[in-house]
Amino acid sequence: MAMRISIQPGVQDNAPKVAKSGSSIRRKAWLAVFAACGLFWTVVALMIWQIWS
């Protein structure tokens, strides 16, 4: 039995958009991680500063 796989024209056009949005989400996730890390260390530094004052 031979199977034919057909790709609809609209499906092929959406492929780059999916890849773009995936990388955009990944970039936003990394920015959120770095922002959270920076905020955490800022709070730690302020707490240490307040304790030593």
Side-chain angles (χ1 to χ4, degrees), residues 2-38:
M3 290 179 53
R4 284 191 182 183
I5 299 174
S6 63
I7 298 176
Q8 297 173 350
V11 173
Q12 198 171 19
D13 294 338
N14 290 337
K17 292 178 185 175
V18 171
K20 247 185 187 179
S21 69
S23 67
S24 174
I25 291 172
R26 194 174 301 132
R27 187 179 309 118
K28 287 179 183 177
W30 276 112
L31 284 174
V33 167
F34 287 130
C37 185

